Amino acid sequence: MSKRAFITGITGQDGAYLARFLLDKGYEVFGLLARRSSSTSWRLEYLNVLSHIKLIDGDLTDLAAIIRALRIAKPTEIYNLGAQSFVGSSWDQPILTGQATGIGVTNVLEAIRLTDSSARFYQASTSEMFGLIQETTQSEKTPFYPRSPYGVAKLYGHWMTVNYRESFNMHASSGILFNHESPLRGIEFVTRKVTDGVARIKLGRQKSLMLGNIDAQRDWGFAGDYVEAMWLMLQQDQPDDYVIATGVTTTVRDMCRIAFERVGLDYENYVKIDPRYYRPAEVEVLLGNPAKAKSRLAWSAKTSLKELIEMMVDADLARVSAQ
Ligand code: NAP
Ligand code: GDD
């Protein structure tokens, strides 16, 4: 039987990379399309995926639509990547975030239970669940302490995934992924905001770059590496939870330094602080321990932060030049 995958959030950064990865492995790929008024397929076009997949209309908040989509796709593997994923917005839209990012997970789990509970399920959990960190290095055993409506919603989805695994014997796994970026990252996230800003400053289209807390530290990896870990989790005999990270943490400040150095500039001359970008509650530092993923999945991050940021700056230079 051919392998069939169903991806929610297929128009997002990870959805596009995962679709590309699964097509290359010979999967038939279906995606849930939360139809908006404007085109959301630029990432799928960028990776030459759009014409090779089948999109099915539906929203994560609409259980009936998800059931209908699963009946059409008949997937053997389901990847739940859809979410309101921007932490900053989650204070402005806490209820929508709860519905899409939290209840949406239960909708997908229920839809699987009602259609074919033998399908394997991947939940996009997050290092944001560690929030106010309880251990210097965070592993699968570290207690959670979310610090945003987004983190709280994700923690609910995480525990529902564990609960469906334990209650209904479903092959449901959670990837606790630390930040991962790429040239397909949304412009609102700090790495892409910086690499786009660097390109605009270098090309004379912008004079400075306004940021918030540049002392925050993140464990940043490359999204293209991380989608392989999602797939590996669903190839295991037993479902489980895995931290996916590089094991290296860097300040936003140092990430800026790398980005500006790529074009021969000093970040200190361009980066300005705007308190409007401070968050009501901050996650100051994240640092993952990917030892379990290494030993059980034989997975480790391949791309360094310098390689990642340089890749993103180069892509933004090309994009801004073409505008
Ligand atoms: P992203 O680029 O923001 O993509 C989110 C996707 O979810 C988009 O396709 C979006 O559709 C879709 N979506 C939003 N609300 C929806 C709804 N109500 N119904 C159906 N689809 C909806 O996020 P990403 O960076 O690829 O991340 C993928 C997943 O991993 C997310 O769940 C995120 O929370 C989680 N995660 C990400 C990271 C990271 O560092 N990237 C780390 C840990 C966990 P539109 O394009 O139409 O808006
Ligand atoms: N977005 C943004 N914009 N962040 C800024 C800025 C700015 O101007 N200035 C400083 N920062 C800081 C934020 O305060 C935060 O500490 C850090 O940069 C990273 O912010 P984001 O890039 O927005 O990512 P995030 O860590 O909040 O969330 C991302 O990673 C999570 C995994 O830990 C998202 O992809 C989440 O969906 C994901 O779960």
Side-chain angles (χ1 to χ4, degrees):
M1 191 178 147
S2 74
K3 289 183 172 181
R4 296 163 76 94
F6 179 75
I7 304 173
T8 74
I10 196 163
T11 54
Q13 169 190 257
D14 293 7
Y17 277 104
L18 180 64
R20 178 75 270 158
F21 177 87
L22 294 173
L23 286 171
D24 291 345
K25 288 218 167 284
Y27 280 70
E28 202 170 334
V29 177
F30 298 80
L32 187 74
L33 180 67
R35 198 166 284 283
R36 324 266 186 216
S37 58
S38 58
S39 165
T40 53
S41 59
W42 67 275
R43 294 183 175 99
L44 299 171
E45 283 164 4
Y46 190 95
L47 294 181
N48 187 26
V49 161
L50 190 57
S51 55
H52 304 287
I53 59 174
K54 296 179 189 70
L55 294 172
I56 306 170
D57 284 3
D59 194 284
L60 280 169
T61 59
D62 183 345
L63 173 62
I66 301 170
I67 292 173
R68 192 173 301 120
L70 291 185
R71 283 188 182 146
I72 295 167
K74 296 186 176 50
T76 48
E77 295 174 16
I78 293 150
Y79 296 85
N80 185 38
L81 310 185
Q84 190 303 95
S85 76
F86 185 42
V87 173
S89 268
S90 73
W91 280 279
D92 299 326
Q93 306 185 78
I95 295 166
L96 177 138
T97 302
Q99 286 166 342
T101 306
I103 297 291
V105 182
T106 310
N107 282 337
V108 179
L109 287 164
E110 269 300 284
I112 296 170
R113 194 159 77 94
L114 293 168
T115 53
D116 175 9
S117 63
S118 70
R120 297 187 172 196
F121 175 74
Y122 171 84
Q123 167 57 17
S125 286
T126 167
S127 49
E128 267 289 306
M129 300 186 309
F130 295 121
L132 187 64
I133 54 167
Q134 304 293 298
E135 285 181 313
T136 315
T137 306
Q138 299 89 53
S139 74
E140 297 79 5
K141 294 193 163 55
T142 303
F144 299 117
Y145 193 139
R147 292 268 280 173
S148 62
Y150 167 81
V152 173
K154 279 285 183 185
L155 188 52
Y156 165 80
H158 178 75
W159 282 118
M160 286 307 277
T161 303
V162 174
N163 185 263
Y164 271 58
R165 177 164 79 215
E166 294 176 355
S167 304
F168 304 118
N169 204 23
M170 281 169 53
H171 196 294
S173 294
S174 237
I176 306 173
L177 270 56
F178 283 61
N179 300 49
H180 46 280
E181 321 291 314
S182 74
L184 301 187
R185 188 57 145 149
I187 198 85
E188 64 273 33
F189 300 95
V190 74
T191 52
R192 182 73 206 296
K193 181 175 173 182
V194 168
T195 61
D196 175 74
V198 164
R200 287 177 192 282
I201 289 168
K202 181 66 181 176
L203 297 170
R205 316 269 176 97
Q206 190 174 311
K207 292 207 173 340
S208 60
L209 180 62
M210 311 302 283
L211 296 176
N213 175 17
I214 61 172
D215 293 317
Q217 291 173 244
R218 288 293 182 274
D219 179 330
W220 279 296
F222 172 46
D225 293 345
Y226 284 35
V227 296
E228 183 185 15
M230 300 175 188
W231 174 78
L232 283 167
M233 286 176 217
L234 298 204
Q235 311 317 306
Q236 305 307 302
D237 289 341
Q238 297 302 323
D240 209 338
D241 306 324
Y242 295 90
V243 160
I244 300 298
T246 67
V248 177
T249 192
T250 308
T251 59
V252 173
R253 184 188 297 278
D254 282 339
M255 181 271 291
C256 289
R257 182 177 289 120
I258 295 169
F260 278 89
E261 276 176 2
R262 179 65 171 173
V263 297
L265 299 175
D266 181 347
Y267 83 98
E268 293 195 55
N269 296 329
Y270 302 96
V271 170
K272 313 257 182 271
I273 302 303
D274 184 339
R276 278 183 306 166
Y277 293 110
Y278 291 157
R279 293 174 175 179
E282 177 63 292
V283 172
E284 293 291 348
V285 54
L286 290 172
L287 171 59
N289 174 2
K292 180 174 170 184
K294 188 168 186 191
S295 66
R296 303 257 185 96
L297 305 178
W299 180 91
S300 53
K302 298 183 184 72
T303 312
S304 71
L305 180 62
K306 185 164 184 290
E307 289 166 334
L308 169 64
I309 294 299
E310 291 182 351
M311 178 202 315
M312 292 174 67
V313 169
D314 293 352
D316 277 321
L317 280 170
R319 269 191 200 117
V320 176
S321 312
Q323 279 166 10

